[in-house]
Amino acid sequence: MTFLYLLSCLLLVFLSSTQASREYHEQLVLQPLVPASLLASFNFRSNASSSSFDQHHFGHFPRSLGQILQHTNTKELHLRFSTGRWDAESWGSRPWDGTKEGGTGVEIWAWVEAETEHEAFSRWITLNNALSGLFCASMNFIDSTRTTRPVMTFEPMGDHNSSQSLHLLHGSLPREVVCTENLTPFLKLLPCKGKAGIGSLFDGHKLFDATWQTMSIDVRPVCPEGGSECHMEMEQTVDMVVDIERSKRPRDDPIPRPLPMGGLVCDETKQYSREDACYPLDLSEGQQWSFITIFGRVMKGTCQIATSGTPAEPAIFVKSRNDLEVWTTPGATEIKHPEGFSRSIAVPDKKDFEVVVPVQDRNRSHPISTPPLFVERSITGHGQERGGVRALLRNPSSTSAVEFVYFEALPWFMKPYLHTLKVQINGKKVNSRDLIKAMYYRPGLDRSRGSQLELHMTVPAASTVTLTYDFEKAILRYTEYPPDANRGRDVASAVIRIVSSGQGDQRSSYLRTTPLMLPLSTPDFSMPYNVIILTSTVIALAFGTIFNMLVRRFVGADEIVDEGLKGKIRQVVQRIKSKLQKGDIEKKTQ
């Protein structure tokens, strides 16, 4: 009995530890934005214990991704697929403080364990090639010219051993187009494959029709403080801003059409309001929305292996005033939070679930937080030889300064002049040393690596800092131009890491600018065609003439023997002519 009791206890401990190492969570946060948009944040988190991960027992952790990380000795991975632009002026701070956001296109950075930098770069290339095939993306084009090694911008989010020799590498493809080919393998990494739970709300047409959208994958080791076993955690996030009015258009007729006169709602407070004159009201704000109108489908129950979805850990959060009524499918449990601007909903199992939010005015919506910094970046100058970059960084706070790190990865054909770096505050030139605390610059090499610039700066309260520098454009070979050469070349987004915003929160937040379009001098691509055609014509004429002279055999006309009726007639005619000629000669001699 004692042996059986001990065996059962050990079995229970093993099962509890295995269950704890195989947790899977998912949640959806819905937040209305102005004027008529909705932010939907999907979050999926799964893990596997470090011991089982090393023994290839992945549990809820996707095996396809785990084997790639083990083969390349990647200890921490961050992958981003992004499209669109976040409107900070209207929508406020970014979700997740920008930690789940990436630049337009594809952005990836990872910590790779290796003895030397050369070995780390070799494993980095292998990692990109494997992820390129897994996610149907063009990450295999991230070579040495698109790879940088940031020093101050990124920090590891996982718990790593100090004895490990980790190398940070970063790469981006600003021209990559994110589409459903990337969404399908993203969903296959989920335990329920998007067939149940909040993952069943994904529709490629609705997701990529959003105003702004980003997909992220974060893999990191996590060691709890209680001394329990460490585990590998993978977090998948999808954030999208949907235009409510546009999402309601039918898929078979998506073209917006003006309303007839009878369908307009007029503002009767205007002085000129009468039967034949109407000033239409803007009814786009506070529209009614539901899962059907936003995502095109309802939620297919809950994922059975997920630990979320219960009243203790709800799966859906709606950020709206508590006095606003939200309609849900019967059987759901709704909990309103004390702050008065959010509520959580526990979804019933094995049942289609729907959420309907009625019309609400702007004053009753969730308050929008102001971001710690507003950033704009653009290209200045004219001509095909030189140009400049200007970055505007505005601090909206009137009491505290903002400390941040500004990071730019420039292509090799964009050569900056570091001595032209200038800093202005509110339009007045100041000494750059007053604001720039530290600088790291790695010059680029032609066709080998790009330039890297990192600045540790401070923006005073209620001030706008203008950062400018000049650069020179390199001349490319005609084989290095893309098919649409006249469009220009894309420059990756700048990354801003907020180190301290003076608001008491010491966690780092991130911002991304929009990518730049760099026009380059393009040659006349029709000239090679013209040269080829002209050269081919001359060679054909010369070769044909010489070949005919060498091969053709020349004979006299009288040597030709022609058989047949025509030949006989020709011989008779020649005999008659010869006799006549002889007769004429004899008469002349007489």
Side-chain angles (χ1 to χ4, degrees):
M1 292 296 294
T2 305
F3 174 76
L4 294 177
Y5 177 76
L6 292 176
L7 182 62
S8 60
C9 292
L10 291 175
L11 182 61
L12 289 175
V13 170
F14 174 76
L15 292 176
S16 61
S17 61
T18 304
Q19 182 67 22
S21 64
R22 293 186 177 184
E23 291 183 350
Y24 171 69
H25 305 265
E26 60 179 23
Q27 70 173 15
L28 170 61
V29 180
L30 302 171
Q31 178 182 350
L33 300 175
V34 294
S37 302
L38 178 70
L39 171 62
S41 296
F42 297 81
N43 182 259
F44 310 89
R45 188 174 73 254
S46 57
N47 54 40
S49 63
S50 299
S51 58
S52 62
F53 185 83
D54 296 335
Q55 297 174 4
H56 302 278
H57 300 304
F58 298 100
H60 299 325
F61 196 98
R63 177 180 295 271
S64 57
L65 182 60
Q67 291 178 343
I68 294 175
L69 300 179
Q70 290 180 343
H71 178 71
T72 58
N73 278 4
T74 302
K75 302 304 178 182
E76 185 172 337
L77 172 67
H78 302 276
L79 179 61
R80 305 288 185 267
F81 299 90
S82 303
T83 57
R85 170 182 171 271
W86 177 267
D87 188 2
E89 297 284 349
S90 302
W91 302 337
S93 299
R94 287 165 165 79
W96 312 100
D97 293 330
T99 56
K100 308 296 183 183
E101 180 187 355
T104 302
V106 175
E107 184 178 357
I108 178 175
W109 66 97
W111 276 265
V112 181
E113 184 179 8
E115 296 296 333
T116 62
E117 291 187 357
H118 178 74
E119 183 182 1
F121 180 75
S122 177
R123 293 177 177 178
W124 165 257
I125 295 298
T126 304
L127 174 65
N128 287 322
N129 291 335
L131 294 178
S132 175
L134 180 63
F135 291 100
C136 299
S138 303
M139 285 179 286
N140 55 315
F141 287 98
I142 299 180
D143 52 6
S144 60
T145 61
R146 295 181 174 90
T147 300
T148 56
R149 300 174 183 269
V151 176
M152 301 181 291
T153 306
F154 298 100
E155 290 184 344
M157 301 177 62
D159 301 323
H160 299 280
N161 190 351
S162 59
S163 62
Q164 293 177 328
S165 178
L166 300 180
H167 298 263
L168 171 62
L169 296 101
H170 175 273
S172 60
L173 292 173
R175 199 177 179 182
E176 181 75 8
V177 179
V178 185
C179 60
T180 54
E181 293 180 352
N182 311 121
L183 177 63
T184 301
F186 183 90
L187 293 178
K188 289 183 178 180
L189 299 180
L190 299 176
C192 290
K193 315 296 182 183
K195 303 298 182 181
I198 63 175
S200 62
L201 295 173
F202 286 123
D203 180 83
H205 297 278
K206 294 290 186 179
L207 176 62
F208 296 105
D209 191 44
T211 308
W212 175 82
Q213 172 267 329
T214 179
M215 297 189 301
S216 67
I217 295 178
D218 299 282
V219 180
R220 58 171 185 163
V222 177
C223 297
E225 297 180 356
S228 57
E229 184 182 8
C230 301
H231 60 269
M232 289 293 293
E233 179 183 272
M234 188 186 75
E235 194 169 1
Q236 297 176 248
T237 306
V238 177
D239 297 318
M240 54 187 296
V241 175
V242 183
D243 189 338
I244 298 177
E245 185 177 2
R246 190 166 73 176
S247 65
K248 292 182 178 181
R249 300 173 188 166
R251 183 177 298 180
D252 55 349
D253 189 17
I255 301 176
R257 306 182 188 280
L259 294 175
M261 187 65 181
L264 295 176
V265 179
C266 303
D267 188 359
E268 298 181 356
T269 60
K270 301 295 182 181
Q271 297 180 357
Y272 49 81
S273 177
R274 54 182 186 271
E275 294 183 359
D276 57 346
C278 176
Y279 186 86
L281 289 172
D282 186 9
L283 300 179
S284 60
E285 294 188 4
Q287 293 192 35
Q288 176 178 323
W289 55 268
S290 62
F291 281 172
I292 289 292
T293 57
I294 298 299
F295 305 111
R297 56 184 66 180
V298 296
M299 180 175 171
K300 300 295 183 180
T302 59
C303 185
Q304 295 299 312
I305 64 175
T307 57
S308 57
T310 61
E313 190 176 352
I316 298 179
F317 295 85
V318 180
K319 293 186 178 181
S320 61
R321 291 178 61 96
N322 290 347
D323 56 353
L324 180 67
E325 185 178 5
V326 176
W327 304 321
T328 61
T329 303
T333 303
E334 181 180 350
I335 302 174
K336 297 182 180 180
H337 296 175
E339 69 271 12
F341 284 98
S342 63
R343 67 188 71 195
S344 57
I345 302 174
V347 183
D349 297 337
K350 300 179 181 181
K351 187 177 182 181
D352 291 349
F353 184 74
E354 170 71 308
V355 173
V356 179
V357 178
V359 178
Q360 59 178 337
D361 56 11
R362 183 173 180 178
N363 297 327
R364 299 177 63 185
S365 60
H366 187 275
I368 296 177
S369 60
T370 303
L373 197 68
F374 292 95
V375 184
E376 296 179 6
R377 190 174 67 142
S378 60
I379 287 183
T380 61
H382 60 279
Q384 302 295 333
E385 185 178 0
R386 294 181 177 86
V389 174
R390 180 179 61 183
L392 299 177
L393 305 111
R394 180 169 61 90
N395 183 5
S397 176
S398 59
T399 58
S400 58
V402 176
E403 183 180 353
F404 64 94
V405 177
Y406 182 84
F407 169 75
E408 280 191 344
L410 305 177
W412 65 265
F413 47 81
M414 188 175 173
K415 303 178 180 180
Y417 294 136
L418 205 60
H419 69 279
T420 62
L421 182 64
K422 299 178 182 179
V423 179
Q424 296 180 354
I425 297 181
N426 298 329
K428 297 180 181 180
K429 186 182 297 185
V430 297
N431 190 356
S432 59
R433 297 180 180 178
D434 297 338
L435 298 179
I436 300 178
K437 297 182 178 181
M439 178 187 300
Y440 178 82
Y441 175 67
R442 188 185 187 192
L445 298 176
D446 288 351
R447 298 173 180 86
S448 296
R449 74 182 185 197
S451 302
Q452 176 181 339
L453 177 63
E454 290 184 89
L455 302 175
H456 190 179
M457 302 178 57
T458 302
V459 178
S463 301
T464 300
V465 173
T466 304
L467 182 69
T468 59
Y469 63 87
D470 299 333
F471 64 87
E472 181 182 1
K473 304 176 184 179
I475 299 177
L476 305 182
R477 299 167 183 167
Y478 81 95
T479 55
E480 295 174 341
Y481 285 92
D484 51 348
N486 293 309
R487 174 181 175 271
R489 302 297 292 266
D490 295 88
V491 181
S493 305
V495 182
I496 295 92
R497 174 194 167 200
I498 308 297
V499 179
S500 174
S501 59
Q503 299 177 358
D505 190 358
Q506 299 299 326
R507 294 180 303 174
S508 297
S509 60
Y510 288 87
L511 305 174
R512 258 84 172 180
T513 65
T514 55
L516 299 178
M517 182 65 65
L518 178 65
L520 294 176
S521 57
T522 56
D524 185 2
F525 290 100
S526 65
M527 286 303 298
Y529 174 78
N530 297 335
V531 171
I532 292 173
I533 294 299
L534 179 60
T535 305
S536 301
T537 304
V538 173
I539 292 176
L541 292 175
F543 176 79
T545 303
I546 297 174
F547 182 80
N548 287 335
M549 294 177 63
L550 294 176
V551 176
R552 182 175 295 177
R553 184 170 64 88
F554 295 93
V555 297
D558 54 347
E559 299 179 7
I560 300 177
V561 178
D562 196 359
E563 299 179 355
L565 181 61
K566 291 183 178 181
K568 295 180 179 180
I569 296 175
R570 187 178 295 107
Q571 292 179 1
V572 172
V573 172
Q574 289 181 354
R575 291 175 182 175
I576 295 174
K577 286 183 178 180
S578 61
K579 290 182 178 181
L580 293 177
Q581 290 177 355
K582 290 180 180 180
D584 293 339
I585 294 173
E586 291 177 356
K587 289 181 180 181
K588 291 180 180 180
T589 55
Q590 294 177 359

